Amino acid sequence: MNRLPERLGEVIDRGTTLSFSWNGQEFSAFAGDTVVSALAAAGQRVFSRSFKYHRPRGLLTASFHDPGCMVQIGDEPNVRGAHRLVTDSMVVTSQNTWPSLRFDVRGANRLVGRFLAPGFYYKTFIRPQRLWPTYERVLRQFVHAGEISPDTRVEHRSTRFAHPDVLVAGGGPAGMAAAVAAARAGARVLLVEEEHQLGGHLRYVGSPAELAELRTEVTASGVEVLTDSVVLGRYDQNWLAVLQRGSGERLIKARARVLIVACGLIERPYVFAGNDLPGVMLSTAVRRLINLYAVKPGERAVVLTANSDGDAAVRDLLDAGVEVAEVVDARSGGDILRAHGRRGLRTVELPGGRRIEADLLVTATGWTAPTALLNQAGDVPVYSAAAARFLPGGKASEDVLAVGGLAGDGTLDELRAHAGAVGAEAARRAATHRYRQLTRTPTAVAGRAPVGGPIEIPDLPVHEHPALFRAKSHGMVDFSEDVSSSDIHLAVREGYDSAELAKRYTTATMGPLQGKLEMVNAIAMVAEATGRSVAETGTTTWRPMYAPVTLGALAGRTVQPVRRSPMHAWHQANGAVPLVAGQWIRPDHYGDPAAEVRAVRTAVGIIDVTPIGKLDLRGPDVPKLLNLLYVNKWSKLAVGRVRYGVMCAEDGVVLDDGVTGRLGPDHYLMSTTSSGAAAVWEWIENWLQTERPEWNVHVTPVTTSYASVNVAGPRSAELIGRLAEGVDLTDFEYMNVRTARLAGVDGCVLWRIGFTGEPSYELHVPAGYGLHVWETLLAHGEDLGVRPFGVEAQRILRLEKGHLIVGQDTDGLTRAFSAGLDRLVKLDKDDFVGKPELLWQHDQGAQTRLVGLQPVNGQIVPPEASQLVAADTTRIVGRVTSSRMSPTLGRSICLAQVEAALAGPDTEVTVLLPDGRRIPARVTEHLAHVDPHGARLHTAGTPGTFRQHPPPVARSPIRTAAHAVGGSPNAALTLADHSALAKVVVRAPHAKAMAASLGVPFGRAARAADGTLVIGAGPGEWLVLGPADSGDGLLKQLRRQAEEVGGFVSVVDLTHGRAMLRLTGDRAADVLASVCAIDLDSDFTPNGAALRTSVATLVTDLVRDDQQGVPSYLLHCERSSGQSLWDAVLDAGAEHGIEISGEPTPSPEE
Amino acid sequence: MIQLPCPWCGPRNVTEFRYAGERTPRPDPGTATPRQWRAYLYLRRNPCGVVEENWYHTAGCRRFFTLHRDTASNAVKETR
């Protein structure tokens, strides 16, 4: 056993013994031991075989970045064995060794080493190319990467957003001093340390008392400390990726106002023959082993020292009872020549030829500055020949500062004083930056501007250090890639004579260590081979990631939000086959789409069309807007009428279509395609905000405020009559709109329109009642043969009727005249979007036309996108855009885009099927295959008489597991469904009369005297919340208020359009920090703050509304995403013990 | 990820916004020649330097705004 008696400052807990296995053999460890320290204590010296030559490898650095200590733990490959702590019953194996670590047959590679020179694989396996699959299979056996198991459990790693004023990367003495100084100056500080404890090199070189004092200061100053964590990369504006290891990796996305880089220095290996033999170690490695883990690193040592750390290592070795056979002092010209041994070091050969028996060779020949984060901040580190290392170039942006060994040398006191000044200055810069941000953030209360000028930062000395890179023999430069100094010399001889080229050709610095140990040596070898200096040779760029990270941590939670209609649960329960359309889940069909089509044609069918985009338009200038955006005319649309319209983009390409109805003098309801809803809304806002800001129009998206159901078929009027009150159905012609009470639900909007070609009613029902109306339709229509139909039946029905689908029968090049819209486009209008292009298309004639098409053999359905070709040639003259078998006609029917010359009725064209067959097809006279003159549409039949129905029940969009509700009223962290609250949106000019009357500015929320919560939700936009069922009263009151103040104000009820939840508890902000990138600190988001942002990728309004002093947040999003938001917050809250509170609300399943 | 200074909401991550392109004034549709109109549709300056561009705060205030951004450094000069 190599375990030493207790050491002052050791990190192992001798009171707790753990057992683990290594390659099948049982070992014991103390708590705090790394895998490799425990094995080294038990006398193991070889932990892996090298990448290319399968040379035995042992300890080199005894840190995370030890190239020879990668092991497999359970099903986790490539674990850094000199960093990972032992846990009880851990199963550890060596990687890429066969048949065993001790005897690896592929070690024979070392005998053919001269054939494995750089470029060996490129040069050897390039020909013949057909043999590559074989080569690949064989070469795969030599890859050094452990094994992954396909059975590995899928874990979702949570992420977290952090907003520190100062983030300190590195928790050594300088980092700790900087963090403490910054925190004392009032900054919120996050201190990130890669090791398991704070302290850096002080842990194994300093006095434990001094370290304890620094740690106490860190704790006392309120710094947040993350150990076993690392800053992976720095991106623009100090966006930092921080990896928190420990149990399951977690990515922290931090936006730091100032970054302090305190990474310290990494000891550099020396290049000589045999420098990778087990037993050759860096001075920091032996000091870690002795002082942290109480492991005796060897019995008889030779030490090559060029600095005081090497000298100190000699003292530590003697103290640990190691016999020091020889100290070779490089400062006085001493050197070693090579190391000998097979499975480990046996003798050290000095330049004169003298050999010294030893099992340990310790080198202390200089340092590498890991300047990665500085490089990523725009700095170009410069090589100091005197110090033999790179130093900061001073070009980093001003929000990035360096302290500690990276910045210079000096005594511990000098380094601490420097870091303290930098920390204080960082806090000052952060405070200035923070104040600037607070003054620009409407939710925040800025407070007073920070005072005080820059803090003077003392200069750090830079000590001279001998430039030692290589002995008079060749050895390893890159230990993880098996690249030797002679390989780099060869690469230079072959012409790869710059550092960037030689690196890529030899793969030096490209292995798992990414240059941390080998970068300077590699540059020095290129310099040596080219006869240039290291400074002339330059450096390579340090890119993110600085340390390895699992893909799982980068991915975080990958759940995609899903949108559901209020009838979603009914569809699920009734055998609907789901269709994912964008974010929506819709019923494709309920088993037999053809039967669904027949039901619509002969009786009546109902389809859930909730995803259809719906925009509430209010204001005197709506007709101007419609005239501008649609290609047809809108000035004369009477109240109670609806009209079909098509929008084009400025290039004349068809953008979207839908119907718009006029509900009142200044009130319109626009519908859009389901997939175009968001884009059309943005399109309208774009025109209103940037081109026509003088127009008085308010647009409110109400897509999910309403559940939409299309009731279609010859018996539809009969069915509607059984539900409708307050509307005269006998005076309700095609292309009209009415409001009515349906099955007891007020405020329903009915359109007489149809996509199916049958008489039909499109019902828009306040969404909470959607399921009630849906079920009532089915119950009351049972004797009429009512049947739910899905998207597939609807697609067949509309194809029979020849209605185009934008994006299906048109593409990104289809202008209006190519889409059969000739009669709709009104070129005599002064202006409309896309008019010039359409004018030119009209003058030149459309190149392609949309036509109806029927294959001569009606049993063949040409797949969509089949090409139309000119007879007997392969010249493409068009394509099939839609095709189905028509259950009504009993034959196949299509829509097609075809060259204008071939678009005449009865023209025969050839369809080239994917299997190569050519079939004839004939262009039809009309786009519609069924009822081309629309006779059916106007024969609505006799409306039925009203029937009694069950009382309406408003459902919440959120389904809460019933057993989880009301778990514990006193839980520290609760989530409640508040979707039932009345919600009314008020739109009025920002900062005008109505704003004054409501008394709440954008970004803030406040309770009115009557208890309603008034939220300044947007510029010129307020949301007023009242108790459930108070919606009508609230609406009336706000409309009265609007009339009193005058001016252009609109008031829209959104009660049914929003899902709302409340998250309450002292840890509520921590929960949100994993799904929301907003700084929830009380300066930025105090009680009463209101903002809109992205929460779990959903656009969400967030209002801080504390409850009796406990932080509480109202979150609301559009209704159909409510369940996704609820699930995401519950998921994020799981680790904080979240519970569901409140009364169970009626949900779609009940 | 850079932040953009929304003139209404303050600094926010760029993922909350949608890029609405370089600002290109709309020619008079009554008199524009095809060449002018298609320049409006398709031609952009795309400079290495300061560009005047429109952004839409999709996940925030839902306002369009114009900012002057240096494409080489992402530094934002002015917003309105």
Side-chain angles (χ1 to χ4, degrees), chain A residues 1032-1094:
Chain A
D1032 289 345
L1034 199 54
L1035 206 59
K1036 283 201 191 88
Q1037 177 212 318
L1038 288 163
R1039 290 208 169 122
R1040 206 164 43 238
Q1041 200 174 337
E1043 264 170 41
E1044 278 164 21
V1045 301
F1048 177 47
V1049 180
S1050 51
V1051 180
V1052 181
D1053 185 2
L1054 280 185
T1055 300
H1056 290 266
R1058 314 282 302 168
M1060 181 173 279
L1061 42 111
R1062 182 186 277 281
L1063 176 69
T1064 307
D1066 288 325
R1067 313 214 57 182
D1070 294 337
V1071 176
L1072 291 176
S1074 73
V1075 285
C1076 171
I1078 293 291
D1079 190 343
L1080 297 165
D1081 177 82
S1082 280
D1083 282 358
F1084 281 91
T1085 318
N1087 190 20
L1091 56 95
R1092 192 178 293 135
T1093 185
S1094 169

Side-chain angles (χ1 to χ4, degrees), chain A residues 18-202:
Chain A
L18 310 167
S19 76
F20 70 105
S21 73
W22 165 242
N23 286 338
Q25 199 183 334
E26 289 298 312
F27 287 87
S28 71
F30 293 127
D33 255 324
T34 66
V35 169
V36 164
S37 74
L39 290 172
Q44 298 288 310
R45 304 197 80 188
V46 179
F47 305 107
S48 70
R49 290 280 179 159
S50 71
F51 173 66
K52 205 163 26 171
Y53 304 130
H54 291 257
R55 293 164 67 93
R57 290 279 165 81
L59 274 160
L60 180 66
T61 72
S63 69
F64 187 90
H65 305 292
D66 199 319
C69 297
M70 296 236 282
V71 296
Q72 172 117 15
I73 294 181
D75 59 1
E76 185 183 359
N78 302 323
V79 175
R80 306 301 178 102
H83 175 82
R84 179 67 63 88
L85 300 182
V86 174
T87 56
D88 209 24
S89 314
M90 201 177 228
V91 178
V92 188
T93 53
S94 54
Q95 292 189 167
N96 190 35
T97 48
W98 184 79
S100 73
L101 179 62
R102 189 175 151 73
F103 177 77
D104 184 335
V105 290
R106 283 164 298 199
N109 272 6
R110 65 205 288 189
L111 304 177
V112 295
R114 66 196 175 90
F115 300 114
L116 292 179
F120 168 74
Y121 290 90
Y122 309 137
K123 291 166 181 167
T124 312
F125 296 107
I126 191 152
R127 290 195 187 85
Q129 224 171 12
R130 66 185 161 78
L131 279 184
W132 173 246
T134 314
Y135 292 148
E136 197 179 22
R137 222 170 24 249
V138 175
L139 294 176
R140 183 71 187 78
Q141 299 296 316
F142 288 80
V143 170
H144 194 77
E147 281 175 24
I148 53 166
S149 161
D151 306 322
T152 298
R153 194 159 54 90
V154 174
E155 284 174 13
H156 289 293
R157 307 281 172 77
S158 62
T159 51
R160 173 188 155 195
F161 293 94
H163 313 268
D165 290 319
V166 176
L167 188 145
V168 183
M176 291 160 86
V180 168
R184 284 182 180 159
R188 286 184 302 174
V189 182
L190 186 61
L191 176 57
V192 180
E193 167 55 35
E194 187 164 26
E195 294 289 342
H196 299 282
Q197 312 87 21
L198 287 180
H201 69 281
L202 266 194

